[in-house]
Amino acid sequence: MAPVIDDQTSYAHYLVARQAVQDDAASRLAPTDDQRITLIIIGVYVAAVLILWNMPIIKIVLAPFKLLTVGLHEFSHAIVGCFTCAKIEAIEIDPDEGGVTRMRGGIPMCTLPAGYLGSSLIGAILVMCGFDILASKVASIFLGVCLLFTLWWARNWLTRGIGLLFIGLIVLLWLVANGVGLKYFVLFIGVMSCMYCLWDILDDLVFRKAYESDASKFAKLCGGCMSSRVWGVLWFFISLIFFVAGILIGLAAFKGNIRAYFRQNRV
């Protein structure tokens, strides 16, 4: 409902205040030179992922990162299961880029959508933090904790291997050039996680008919009020909103200059 204005002076003050808010929002979202570079890097990452995704032989380059995003998907199931009092029995990743989380108890209404929505939210947080080196360092610790929990619940060697590989890579990047490389690593993992979620939702939940997915189980749980494809489309748009929100919040929150960081830390 529009505000009630008593007189022309009050209305003029309202217009001035509204314009000031709009100008402030626009200035916060206007990218700095460093942020423009980060946006270009995000675009390059997105293009690289789309090109390499199904390219013969070369797609092997993305395989470890795909398995990592599968791990984040399963971790999201598991952590929401913990929050709903489930007992996590196992997390397993298979070489075909699939995974499973076995748990007893919990609330399926929460745990079933948590895989896609949770991993896309993690990806969006990493993208947001990828706009700033210090925030990327904090995000790398968060990512490392997620991997440690995944290792704790892992029940096959592939899952353990992926967890150890990326924890080792995070430690290595911390030690090289004062952790500057973490910015680009965190940004790539964030983009990869978001892109993987968006593609996997469309591939598994929308385009395929004979595949029992989280959405098909969720649709049955809801009594068939909406089909699994409808749930898949809904989850797709929520994941897309997370991705876009991560970029916008990163633009608004992190206006620091990377050269100032170099001078401060004498990299």
Side-chain angles (χ1 to χ4, degrees):
M1 180 181 294
V4 177
I5 307 301
D6 294 333
D7 51 45
Q8 291 297 323
T9 302
S10 297
Y11 183 65
H13 289 164
Y14 162 72
L15 291 178
V16 170
R18 186 178 68 176
Q19 187 62 44
V21 170
Q22 292 174 346
D23 291 343
D24 181 64
S27 65
R28 285 181 177 275
L29 292 177
T32 64
D33 290 340
D34 288 331
Q35 288 179 326
R36 289 191 183 95
I37 294 173
T38 302
L39 290 173
I40 292 172
I41 293 172
I42 291 174
V44 170
Y45 284 166
V46 170
V49 169
L50 291 175
I51 292 171
L52 297 177
W53 198 273
N54 291 309
M55 187 174 290
I57 301 176
I58 301 179
K59 67 180 181 180
I60 296 174
V61 174
L62 285 182
F65 299 98
K66 286 184 178 181
L67 294 175
L68 173 62
T69 57
V70 172
L72 293 177
H73 175 105
E74 301 306 331
F75 164 80
S76 299
H77 281 305
I79 199 67
V80 173
C82 287
F83 290 151
T84 57
C85 301
K87 177 177 175 56
I88 310 303
E89 296 181 337
I91 287 180
E92 295 181 5
I93 301 172
D94 64 62
D96 295 326
E97 299 166 10
V100 63
T101 300
R102 297 189 179 90
M103 68 178 78
R104 286 186 290 138
I107 303 175
M109 288 285 289
C110 298
T111 57
L112 284 172
Y116 287 113
L117 300 184
S119 56
S120 61
L121 179 60
I122 290 173
I125 292 172
L126 296 180
V127 168
M128 176 192 71
C129 293
F131 280 86
D132 181 77
I133 295 177
L134 182 59
S136 296
K137 289 183 173 182
V138 175
S140 71
I141 296 173
F142 166 71
L143 180 60
V145 171
C146 293
L147 292 173
L148 286 173
F149 273 106
T150 303
L151 278 174
W152 176 261
W153 290 314
R155 292 299 180 270
N156 67 339
W157 283 106
L158 180 59
T159 308
R160 296 187 184 104
I162 290 297
L164 291 172
L165 171 65
F166 283 99
I167 289 174
L169 183 56
I170 290 171
V171 172
L172 178 63
L173 291 173
W174 265 90
L175 299 175
V176 176
N178 202 28
V180 173
L182 287 169
K183 170 184 169 69
Y184 306 101
F185 172 76
V186 163
L187 193 61
F188 180 75
I189 298 301
V191 170
M192 182 71 190
S193 186
C194 289
M195 293 296 296
Y196 190 87
C197 287
L198 292 171
W199 173 255
D200 208 40
I201 288 171
L202 290 178
D203 194 34
D204 285 346
L205 310 184
V206 180
F207 298 143
R208 298 180 184 177
K209 296 180 180 179
Y211 182 82
E212 188 177 28
S213 62
D214 293 339
S216 63
K217 296 175 183 176
F218 191 74
K220 292 177 183 177
L221 189 66
C222 293
C225 61
M226 292 194 296
S227 70
S228 60
R229 285 191 171 190
V230 174
W231 284 115
V233 171
L234 180 61
W235 293 357
F236 173 86
F237 281 109
I238 294 174
S239 298
L240 184 61
I241 289 170
F242 285 161
F243 186 28
V244 174
I247 294 174
L248 295 179
I249 295 173
L251 286 172
F254 302 115
K255 296 292 187 183
N257 189 302
I258 193 170
R259 287 177 290 276
Y261 177 87
F262 287 161
R263 289 194 299 269
Q264 180 180 355
N265 293 274
R266 298 179 182 179
V267 176

